[in-house]
Amino acid sequence: MLKKYKILVVTIVLSLLGIGAIVAVWLYGGYVNKREIFVTEVERSLFNAIQSYYDEHQNMINEKRDQNISKEGRLLAKRIKSIYSNVDEERVQALWDSLVQERMLRYSKRREAKKEAGEPTAIMPSFMLQNITFSEATIAEISLLLEETLTSKGIEIPVHIVVKNIKDAHRGQGKYRIKVATDGTISTRPVLVDPGEDEYLIAKFEQPLFYLLSKMAVQIAVSVLLILALIGAFIYLLWTINRQNKLALLRKSFVNNMTHELKTPVATVMAAVESIQRYGARDDRDKMEQYLRISHRELEHLANMIEKVLQLDIDEVTGVNLRMTEVDLAKLLEEGVEIAELGAKKEVSIDFVGRLPKLSLIADAGHLKNVINNLFDNAIKYSHDSVKIQVGLKEENGTVVLSIADNGLGIDPIYFKDIFEVFFRVPSGNLHPVKGFGLGLAYVKQVVKQHGGTIKVDSILGKGTVFILTIPTQ
C-alpha cells in the first residue's frame, strides 16, 4: 500500500508540474502577444506624432522638400546631359518639377478628401520623412507629441527617440522585428529617415511589465484559480486516501481486538458449562455458584461489548435518530454518577464543582445518558487505582456547559483530534493495558454534534484530562 501511495503522490506531483508548465507557456505566449501589440501601438503613435509635427511645420518642411526636389532634378538633368549632349537641361528640370508637383498634389487631394469624409488619414509616406531634419529640437518636439498621444491612450511610460546609423550588413536578413535588450529595454523597428546616410529613427522604452500584466488580468486570474483548484483537489484526494488507509488499519485492528474479546468470554462460559456437565459441579453447590458467577460476569461483559457496537450503528448522513424531549440534565448526571460508582472496580470519587444547578434542555435523554456514561467510563478506565473526577455544570447564554475532569493518564495533545475518530485508540506500543475498541468518543462526538453542540478536550500527560461539552438548551 505504501508503494502504491508513493506512486500516486509522484503521479500527482508530475501532473501538477506538467499542467503548471502548460499554463506558464500559455501565459508567456499571451504576454509576448500583448507586448507585440503594445509595441505596434507605440509605433503607430510615433508616426502620428511625426504626422502632427509635419502638419505644424508644413511650410518649412515643404520649402526644404522643394529644395531637395530641385537639387535632385538638376542632378538628373546633368546626368542625362552627360549621356545625351543635345538634351536641354532646363526642359528636363521643368519636366521633373512638373511630375513631382503632380505627385504631391494627388497625395494632398486624397488626404484632404479623407479628412472631409471623416475617415482616418493615411500615415504619411516614408519618402516624406526625408524632408524632415531630425535635430535635437525636432526629436524633443516629436517626443512631447508622442507622450501626449500615448497618455491619451492610457499609456504612461517614458519613450526615448533616437536617430541611429544602421548599415545594411548589421540589419540582418528578413524583416527587422522589435528588439528586446538584456536589461528589458525594447526598441521599435527602425524607420528610414535618410537613405544617403543610412540613418533610422528608433523609439526605445523600458518593458512595461505591470501594464502588460494588467492587460492579462483575466488570463492570470483564471490560470491562478485553475492551478489552485487542481492543487486543492489533489490535496483533498491525498487526504481522503490517507484517511481511508488509516481507517482501514484501524478497522483491521478493531476486528482483531473484537475477535479476541468476543472469544474470551465465550470460551470462559463454555468451559464453565462443560465443568458443570462433565465434572459433577452441579452436585457441588459452591463450585456451581462459582461457575455461574463467572458465566454471568463474562456474559455481562459480552453484552457490554455488543452494546458498544450497537451504539456505533449511526447513519453517515442523518446521524443518530434522536427523540427530543425535555430533559433534566442534573438528574441524568446524578444517575450517571451512581452507575459509575457502583460498576467501578476501583476506588472512585466523583464530586460536583459547586452546587449542581437544575438545568433542563430539549434533547434525547437516552443518547445523552449514554454520552455521560461513556465519559465517566473512560475517566475511570484510563486512571490509576484511585480515581477522582470533577464534574462542572452551568448555563451561559442559552447554552449548557458540562465539564468532566479526571486525574488519569492524560492524552498527548497530538491525538486530540484523532481520539474522536472511529476505532482510534491512543498508541501505547503493541499492548493495550485498558480494553476497548475506540468507539466511545466517536459516539459521544456524534451525539453532541446531532444536538447542535461541540466537544473539546484538554489534557496533560500523567495529570489528567478534561472534556468540555456545550449543548444549546433549545
Side-chain angles (χ1 to χ4, degrees), residues 308 311 327-340 350 352 361 364-380 389 391 393 400 402-404 440-441 443-444 447-448 455 467 469 471:
K308 290 285 187 182
Q311 283 182 356
V327 178
D328 186 347
L329 187 56
K331 184 178 179 181
L332 281 184
L333 280 172
E334 290 174 347
E335 293 176 357
V337 169
E338 184 179 357
I339 294 172
I350 302 178
F352 292 100
L361 69 160
D364 185 303
H367 284 295
L368 208 55
K369 185 176 181 179
N370 288 337
V371 167
I372 294 172
N373 291 340
N374 270 295
L375 292 176
F376 281 147
D377 185 49
N378 279 349
I380 294 170
I389 300 175
V391 180
L393 181 64
V400 173
L402 171 63
S403 63
I404 299 178
L441 289 179
Y443 169 77
V444 168
V447 172
V448 172
I455 181 170
F467 287 92
L469 284 68
I471 303 175

Side-chain angles (χ1 to χ4, degrees), residues 226-240:
L226 176 62
I227 295 296
L228 290 178
L230 286 172
I231 292 175
F234 283 138
I235 290 175
Y236 181 74
L237 175 63
L238 290 176
W239 178 80
T240 302

Side-chain angles (χ1 to χ4, degrees), residues 38 41-42 44-46 48-49 142-159 211 215:
F38 178 80
E41 187 64 35
V42 173
R44 186 181 293 110
S45 299
L46 175 60
N48 289 337
I142 294 175
S143 298
L144 184 60
L145 292 170
L146 175 60
E147 183 180 352
E148 293 176 354
T149 304
L150 292 175
T151 303
S152 65
K153 297 178 180 179
I155 302 173
E156 297 184 358
I157 59 167
V159 180
Y211 176 82
K215 293 295 183 181

Side-chain angles (χ1 to χ4, degrees), residues 54-67:
Y54 178 83
D55 292 339
E56 293 178 5
H57 302 81
Q58 189 169 2
N59 294 333
M60 181 183 67
I61 295 173
N62 288 342
E63 183 180 344
K64 181 182 178 182
R65 178 201 65 196
D66 294 339
Q67 293 175 357

Side-chain angles (χ1 to χ4, degrees), residues 168-184:
D168 290 339
H170 298 289
R171 295 185 61 186
Q173 300 296 323
K175 193 174 181 181
Y176 191 89
R177 303 298 298 168
I178 65 171
K179 181 180 179 181
V180 181
T182 55
D183 60 353

